[in-house]
Each structure stands twice: as structure tokens, then as C-alpha cells.
Amino acid sequence: MPQPDFSGEWVLNKADSTLSPGADTVQSARWVIDHREPALKHQASFVFEGGSRDYEYELRSDGPGMPEGGSESGGWMHWDGDGLVVVFREQIPTGQAGQMTVSFRYELSDDGRRIRASEQVRGTAWDRDNVWMFDRR
């Protein structure tokens, strides 16, 4: 069975999302995803009460896996069944010990009309879990 294709333009459905304090100040969000397995390019734009945040990344599901332990920073992507897992790891800025890990599990639902993005942030004073729901535009 072929892997799901996450390509498209997506808009946040805040009402159906489960967001932790801080993340719940989001007012709107838009994703544009170009997914041509094994490559995925993701552009994101969020508007929060305190300002906006944009980011983009491009990862491959056939690249090297995330190193266990160690302090290597970077981004990795792999399939877990029908879910696409994206993990970013980076050193916490000077003056603080450790590293932060942010992971997302992307899953399509409603016949490809929705993305459920389960997010975990670990290694910070503000660790959190969020479920972001995006509808196809």
C-alpha cells in the first residue's frame, strides 16, 4: 500500500485542536506542503497573540536515522505505519544545559481532507504536548 501524500495547502482548525498554554494563543496558521516521497518540503506561517512565526524545512524519509544519545542537532524524518514522524533536536542556548527535542507525527484523516499533527516538546522548562488539526484548503 502506498504511503500517504501530505501535499497541499492546509489551514489550522483551532476549534478541533488541543493546545497547551502558549500554543493556545495561536490565532491562525497556514501550511504549504510539497510531498514527493521520499522528500517533504514544509512551509509554515503562524499568527499568535504576541506576533507571528514562520519556518520551513525539507527532509527525506530515506535519510540517515536520528543518532541515539549524542548531542547532534538536526532534523530527521521516518515513516511509522501511515504516520510520518518528524523530529528536530537542537542544543539549548548557552547558559542552559541539555538539548530540546520537538517531534511531530503527521497523519491524514477524513479521506485526506485533514492532517492531525501530534507535537511533543521535550528538554525544556516548558515541555508540552499539542494536537494541531489542519484542514485542506
Side-chain angles (χ1 to χ4, degrees):
M1 176 173 227
Q3 301 291 358
D5 181 353
F6 292 92
S7 294
E9 185 174 344
W10 304 88
V11 292
L12 178 65
N13 183 325
K14 184 176 177 180
D16 287 351
S17 298
T18 305
L19 305 175
S20 60
D24 63 355
T25 67
V26 69
Q27 296 174 333
S28 64
R30 178 179 169 265
W31 285 357
V32 177
I33 299 175
D34 182 14
H35 184 194
R36 299 171 194 269
E37 187 60 31
L40 180 128
K41 182 175 183 180
H42 185 170
Q43 297 173 301
S45 180
F46 288 82
V47 176
F48 292 92
E49 289 174 6
S52 61
R53 179 167 184 252
D54 298 330
Y55 66 85
E56 71 178 77
Y57 64 85
E58 188 166 351
L59 294 172
R60 296 180 62 88
S61 64
D62 64 351
M66 184 175 82
E68 294 297 322
S71 61
E72 186 174 339
S73 294
W76 298 269
M77 185 172 78
H78 69 275
W79 286 100
D80 180 23
D82 285 343
L84 190 58
V85 178
V86 175
V87 180
F88 298 99
R89 185 166 62 190
E90 64 182 67
Q91 291 303 115
I92 294 177
T94 307
Q96 303 174 31
Q99 57 188 197
M100 175 176 70
T101 302
V102 179
S103 64
F104 286 92
R105 179 184 172 87
Y106 299 126
E107 299 170 281
L108 289 179
S109 63
D110 296 333
D111 293 324
R113 293 187 307 268
R114 287 193 130 180
I115 289 180
R116 174 188 171 100
S118 302
E119 174 191 31
Q120 289 188 328
V121 178
R122 298 292 183 267
T124 70
W126 41 272
D127 287 358
R128 64 190 69 218
D129 295 293
N130 294 302
V131 177
W132 301 88
M133 298 298 293
F134 283 81
D135 295 326
R136 187 177 296 278
R137 185 170 184 163

